[in-house]
Amino acid sequence: MAGTCCSTQPRALAIVKAVRDALPPAAVTTVSLRRGFDDTPESVDRFHAILQTVWSHGYAAARVHARTVEQKYLGRSRWEFLRQIKSDYPDKTILGSGDVFTAEDAVRMLRETGIDIVWIARGAIGNPWIFQNAAALLQSPAAVIKPPTVHEQREALSEHFSIAMQIHGEQLAGRRMRKMGIKYSRFHPRATDVKVDFINVRSLRDWTAVLENHYAADGPGVWPAADAADEVNEELTSCEIA
């Protein structure tokens, strides 16, 4: 549930109450919020009013995205807001979200904000290894993490498409998985060529051809370019619609 403007705040409060009232007392409930509708002080006040209602109705945790609704994906996520929320509610479970694109980002968010759990969203698209890498860094800050090898990438790509077909069927999976392939391609040493081929995927046969052409021989992977996190949704949306 996103942060709301003033006209929908009563509705948000009503939803929080209704969900909790509809479930057995023992049911664990959580809520997802953005830090506000916009950057006005009134929006911050509305956020806190909603969050107070969340706690008063016994929700177990709140995930807070440190961008506003109006901000969408523009600009930086305000992690200082997460730090303040955790400071305001030290005994509550707070999940933080926003601008976590690498394992290092996840560890840094935990340390800089004091939140309990990092919620990784776009940063996990095409990078399922981010979780194990973050765990390794948390266990040992000196740990050396490496990008997935070409064959590790192939294994993930094959499994991902298989799961997508089970859920969506081959035709829809072929269309939706193109954007996933684009994100996976960032770790390949020939990322540009691989990306182009994933854009043209329409079926399992096409997907398999990309794997045969680019992922047959093993070798070290590469870390995505530093500006890879700036790619938001333009090219992905065009691929999904095409």
Side-chain angles (χ1 to χ4, degrees), residues 17-52:
K17 296 175 183 177
V19 169
R20 181 62 268 181
D21 292 345
L23 295 170
V28 176
T29 50
T30 62
V31 67
S32 182
L33 304 161
R34 282 185 179 259
R35 64 179 172 84
F37 189 81
D38 52 35
D39 286 315
T40 62
E42 293 79 10
S43 183
V44 175
D45 291 341
R46 290 190 290 269
F47 172 89
H48 283 284
I50 295 172
L51 191 55
Q52 286 284 9

Side-chain angles (χ1 to χ4, degrees), residues 3-241:
T4 58
C5 64
C6 57
S7 63
T8 56
Q9 180 185 345
R11 183 181 179 188
L13 297 176
I15 291 172
V16 168
K17 296 175 183 177
V19 169
R20 181 62 268 181
D21 292 345
L23 295 170
V28 176
T29 50
T30 62
V31 67
S32 182
L33 304 161
R34 282 185 179 259
R35 64 179 172 84
F37 189 81
D38 52 35
D39 286 315
T40 62
E42 293 79 10
S43 183
V44 175
D45 291 341
R46 290 190 290 269
F47 172 89
H48 283 284
I50 295 172
L51 191 55
Q52 286 284 9
T53 300
V54 166
W55 302 139
S56 66
H57 282 75
Y59 280 68
R63 173 250 189 173
V64 180
H65 194 304
R67 282 194 177 89
T68 66
V69 174
E70 285 194 340
Q71 186 182 2
K72 298 180 180 178
Y73 292 119
L74 301 177
R76 302 300 298 172
S77 178
R78 293 189 181 176
W79 288 9
E80 63 270 21
F81 186 83
L82 299 176
R83 182 170 59 249
Q84 185 60 54
I85 292 300
K86 185 58 187 177
S87 177
D88 291 341
Y89 306 99
D91 60 335
K92 302 298 184 182
T93 300
I94 306 294
L95 293 77
S97 179
D99 285 350
V100 180
F101 294 104
T102 67
E104 291 84 355
D105 290 338
V107 173
R108 187 165 57 87
M109 176 181 277
L110 284 173
R111 292 175 176 166
E112 292 184 6
T113 68
I115 57 163
D116 303 282
I117 300 171
V118 174
W119 179 295
I120 303 175
R122 287 182 298 152
I125 299 176
N127 182 14
W129 306 278
I130 191 172
F131 302 101
Q132 67 186 43
N133 289 340
L137 290 175
L138 285 172
Q139 185 173 8
S140 173
V144 177
I145 58 174
K146 297 180 180 180
T149 67
V150 172
H151 277 184
E152 287 173 335
Q153 296 172 47
R154 182 183 66 183
E155 181 179 356
L157 285 160
S158 179
E159 182 179 1
H160 199 158
F161 198 94
S162 177
I163 294 172
M165 284 203 305
Q166 293 174 30
I167 297 172
H168 303 296
E170 181 178 350
Q171 184 175 10
L172 184 54
R175 191 162 69 246
R176 290 190 170 182
M177 284 298 293
R178 277 177 284 174
K179 64 181 180 181
M180 301 299 173
I182 289 172
K183 289 296 188 180
Y184 276 104
S185 70
R186 298 172 300 160
F187 294 90
H188 196 283
R190 295 176 57 201
T192 301
D193 294 337
V194 178
K195 175 181 175 179
V196 170
D197 284 353
F198 272 127
I199 289 174
N200 294 318
V201 165
R202 295 293 186 278
S203 65
L204 174 60
R205 176 181 294 180
D206 295 338
W207 187 268
T208 302
V210 176
L211 299 190
E212 291 176 348
N213 290 337
H214 296 291
Y215 294 88
D218 199 9
V222 299
W223 289 119
D227 61 353
D230 295 331
E231 298 178 8
V232 184
N233 288 321
E234 290 85 357
E235 66 181 7
L236 302 189
T237 300
S238 66
C239 288
E240 189 168 4
I241 293 175

